[in-house]
Amino acid sequence: LLASQIVEKKQPFKKTIRKLMSKVVEKTLIEARGNQTETARILGLNRTSVRQYINEAKEEKGVGDGD
């Protein structure tokens, strides 16, 4: 599926990988009951990276952060 998105839909590799990572972070965040620090630990990322992926997912979905 990932390869077909890159080849058939002509999406840039980096953009496709970022989308995939955002989805992985989102699912892991659900499993960690919203705990970003635990999500970062599970995925071997730092918390700042987790926040970046969360923000990217929100932007893609058109969701604001409520400010």
Side-chain angles (χ1 to χ4, degrees), residues 17-41 43 45-66:
I17 295 299
R18 299 263 339 153
K19 283 182 178 181
L20 175 65
M21 279 300 298
S22 291
K23 289 180 182 182
V24 169
V25 167
E26 186 176 21
K27 289 187 180 288
T28 306
L29 189 61
I30 291 167
E31 291 295 318
R33 295 185 219 129
N35 186 319
Q36 294 175 17
T37 303
E38 179 67 7
T39 298
R41 186 193 65 73
L43 296 175
L45 300 172
N46 62 47
R47 191 179 167 281
T48 302
S49 295
V50 169
R51 286 291 310 151
Q52 288 174 337
Y53 286 118
I54 291 168
N55 289 336
E56 287 175 14
K58 284 181 181 179
E59 286 175 14
E60 188 172 306
K61 292 178 182 179
V63 177
D65 59 15

Side-chain angles (χ1 to χ4, degrees), residues 1-15:
L1 180 63
L2 183 60
S4 67
Q5 284 183 329
I6 296 168
V7 175
E8 294 171 13
K9 296 181 181 180
K10 297 183 177 159
Q11 288 187 349
F13 180 75
K14 286 183 181 181
K15 183 177 180 179

